Amino acid sequence: MGEHFKYLIATMGCQMNVYDSEVLAGYLESMGFAKATVEADADILILNTCAVRQKAEEKVLSKLGTWRTLRENNPDMLMVLWGCMVQQEGMADHIRQRFPYIDLIGGPHVLGRFPELIEEARIARSTVVCVEDGERKGREFPVKRGNTLFAWVPISYGCNNYCTYCVVPYVRGPERSRPPAEIIEEVEGLSQNGYREITLLGQNVNSYGKDLDYYIDFAELLKMVSHIPGLLRIRYMTSHPRDFTEKMVHTIAQATNICEHFHLPLQAGSNRILGLMNRGYTRESYLNLVNIIKETVPHCSITTDFIVGFPGENEMDFEMTLDMLEKVRFDASFNFVYSPREGTSAATMPDQVPATEKRRRIIALNKLQTQISQKINEQLLGTRQELLVEGKSKTDTTHFSGRTRTNKIVHFLADEEPQGSVVTVEILEAKAWTLRGKSIKDDISF
Ligand code: SAH
Ligand code: SF4
């Protein structure tokens, strides 16, 4: 395929999917494709989907409907539906029947076969479907990273936890850890190429290494990565609170380049609901962990995920969730309405909560969290913060944007475009979700 061909990828869902899209882009660029800016200009159009909640699925279906016109206007366009959604039982067939103009349907396990699948789809007259399970390896991927400062590095694929609401273990398969030497080599390469921040990715990074033949845990891996020269910030996601060890807290406290940000999805504040969710911790053990973190890593931020309206959640259970907000005082929380997923055990549990009640609960939860986030952020007024610059602000072009080590977004005014990747800003305005500031001086550390 020639140089003038273009591709466009839309990505939904988690960071692992963002990374997978970078791999798809890497393959396409190595095949001579360039990035398109609008759908109509693309010769290959890819939608990389998520299966975690029903809403995302509905969005995909309506998007695929709009592709029909694009296809009519450009019969040569190749249309690809990728990712976790198509991995679900019966989904690929359903989509093939409903949207016959889609050329390729592929699941996350076959990422490494994307180039041959694309060729197959180009020749085939009907939809090519490839959703089989496969050993997924990361090394040989030609990643086209979306950014020159920040990079995602997968350390494990899949998940063994089987939280009762979650579809991930079904669509991404069991947990497979990448060998540490391979990860270290990749991160060293990134650092040498100028990347300043890396995020280690896995569905549960804390159980890293349990499936390998030799002993290594996530704390050891973090330590090794933090010793690689040149890296300013190391992040990781996602951490399961059950497996977050004190050893990890101390490793993070001791390394200057591991960010003081703890994302610990709590999901619910009631022990009864946590039990039904199969989360493996209690509100007490979670609070204990938070106390250790706060004592050991001062000035850290703590964020979380919640699900409201899990089957059987009653008013008292929900009150326990609100109570945990007050007790922990999270910097931010990402709140979701429970969405039944086919094949998970929660989907068939009794006492499903009515939609109106779920909605009432999420509004109450969001409201309380906004108040808490606002108060916490106000404490930063007048302080100086180190930011890694992400570029021009998306909402206000007179401002630039960056993130603090604690993962807060700051929009800031600068007299001129920041030259280095790091600036110091003074915080002048605090909102619940973002901060505003002014750069003090360019602090080019590298
Ligand atoms: N592996 C990560 C995140 C998985 S999905 C973890 O264990 O934390 C990201 C978030 O989506 C979850 O933390 C949860 O809050 C939410 N989520 C997962 N399944 C859901 C469902 N069926 N309905 C609503 N929210 C869900
Ligand atoms: Fe899903 Fe639980 Fe695994 Fe996270 S840990 S991916 S919520 S099963």
Side-chain angles (χ1 to χ4, degrees), residues 5 18 26 39 53 65 86 113 126 129 157 165 179 185 190 201 205 244 254 275 279-280 290 295 319 327 368 396 446:
F5 287 111
V18 175
E39 283 185 341
R53 284 170 290 272
V86 305
R113 292 177 51 195
S126 59
V129 177
Y157 303 108
Y165 51 81
E185 196 187 308
L190 288 167
L201 288 181
V205 292
F244 207 102
Q254 277 155 21
R279 289 291 287 177
V290 165
E295 276 166 25
E319 293 286 328
K327 286 210 162 70
L368 180 58
D396 176 352
F446 289 90

Side-chain angles (χ1 to χ4, degrees), residues 37 188 211 242 273 379:
T37 43
E188 279 171 349
D211 58 316
R242 180 197 58 208
I273 298 298
Q379 288 167 3

Side-chain angles (χ1 to χ4, degrees), residues 52-53 165 203 238 265 267 305 307 336-339 341:
V52 167
R53 284 170 290 272
Y165 51 81
Q203 293 300 339
T238 307
Q267 313 297 5
D305 293 350
I307 295 175
F336 305 103
V337 163
Y338 169 70
S339 167
R341 308 310 289 135

Side-chain angles (χ1 to χ4, degrees), residues 382-396:
T383 64
R384 292 182 173 200
Q385 300 286 329
E386 172 204 285
L387 300 189
L388 204 54
V389 181
E390 298 193 353
K392 280 224 158 91
S393 162
K394 287 192 189 102
T395 45
D396 176 352

Side-chain angles (χ1 to χ4, degrees), residues 159 161-163 165-166 168-169 203-204 240 267 279:
C159 181
N161 281 310
Y162 290 95
C163 300
Y165 51 81
C166 184
V168 170
Q203 293 300 339
N204 177 8
H240 195 302
Q267 313 297 5
R279 289 291 287 177

